[in-house]
Amino acid sequence: QSALTQPASVSGSPGQSITISCTGTNSDIGGYNSVSWYQQHPGKAPKLMIYDVTNRPSGVSYRFSGSKSGNTASLTISGLQAEDEADYYCSSYTSRSTLVFGGGTNVTVL
Amino acid sequence: EVQLVESGGVVVQPGGSLRLSCAASGFTFDDYAIHWVRQPPGKGLEWVSLIGWNGGSTYYADSVKGRFTISRDNSKNSLYLQMNSLRPEDTALYYCARDRGIRLYKYDMEVWGKGTTVTVSS
């Protein structure tokens, strides 16, 4: 199972919006609504930010939103803040009943 | 407090074996499927394995299938990963993580441990 494709880095200024893409295939992202996004700060465990494409767990800021079109999912962070600087990973359920992650995107707040 | 604590990570030679453990507390352990996820130094996350809430179903990434075995002991609130025929590319921080579903597979993880480090080197 190949990793999902994410851009290596994305940057934005405070207050701006950024979008991270995550591209897969019909056997993962395109075939199921089980796409999740995780935030990971250096030295910390990942934190679930979005599940089932668009849903936010309790306690996650409304500034984080998810979407999907075809084989590509996206995470948008609006009103970018310094604390949003982290690595972000997408994941998807696959047709083989496994899970696949993206390669990760480093978000920099300028 | 809901908590997962991994242990068992050490330095091991290529071809060797190791068993990781994950101790759960603060929730009804046998209601949840549990995943192992690893992260090589400086690299991204890689899903390793999943076990159902009663241990009846297990799933593996191709990279570890046939070498790793996931298991659980619900009487001890514990999860295990038996790792055999270890390779240098298995070197990573290994996390256990709770699936979000209650007696359902959701394939996303809302509770994570801090991880335990496995180094495969001669």
Side-chain angles (χ1 to χ4, degrees), chain A residues 1-5 22-35 68-73 92-98 100:
Chain A
Q1 180 73 49
S2 299
L4 306 174
T5 301
C22 172
T23 301
T25 69
N26 290 334
S27 297
D28 38 67
I29 291 177
Y32 308 93
N33 287 322
S34 292
V35 176
K68 189 186 88 166
S69 178
N71 294 340
T72 298
S92 175
Y93 174 74
T94 82
S95 59
R96 299 172 65 195
S97 297
T98 61
V100 62

Side-chain angles (χ1 to χ4, degrees), chain B residues 73-93:
Chain B
D73 185 340
N74 286 346
S75 69
K76 296 182 178 179
N77 286 356
S78 293
L79 173 77
Y80 307 102
L81 186 68
Q82 178 66 43
M83 309 164 68
N84 297 332
S85 302
L86 282 161
R87 305 166 179 167
E89 55 264 37
D90 296 319
T91 294
L93 180 64

Side-chain angles (χ1 to χ4, degrees), chain A residues 1 34 36 38 40 43-48 50-52 89 91 93 96-103, chain B residues 35 37 39 43-47 50 59-62 65 93 95 100 106-110 112-114:
Chain A
Q1 180 73 49
S34 292
S36 302
Y38 298 86
Q40 187 180 36
K44 300 295 188 182
K47 175 185 176 182
L48 181 64
I50 296 287
Y51 66 89
D52 292 348
Y89 296 90
S91 71
Y93 174 74
R96 299 172 65 195
S97 297
T98 61
L99 188 74
V100 62
F101 280 99
Chain B
H35 303 257
V37 176
Q39 186 168 33
K43 296 189 177 181
L45 302 173
E46 181 188 9
W47 180 82
L50 166 67
Y59 307 89
Y60 298 93
D62 286 346
K65 194 176 295 183
L93 180 64
Y95 294 102
R100 184 173 52 86
K106 293 294 188 181
Y107 281 85
D108 47 57
M109 295 82 97
E110 61 179 352
W112 293 69
K114 293 185 183 338

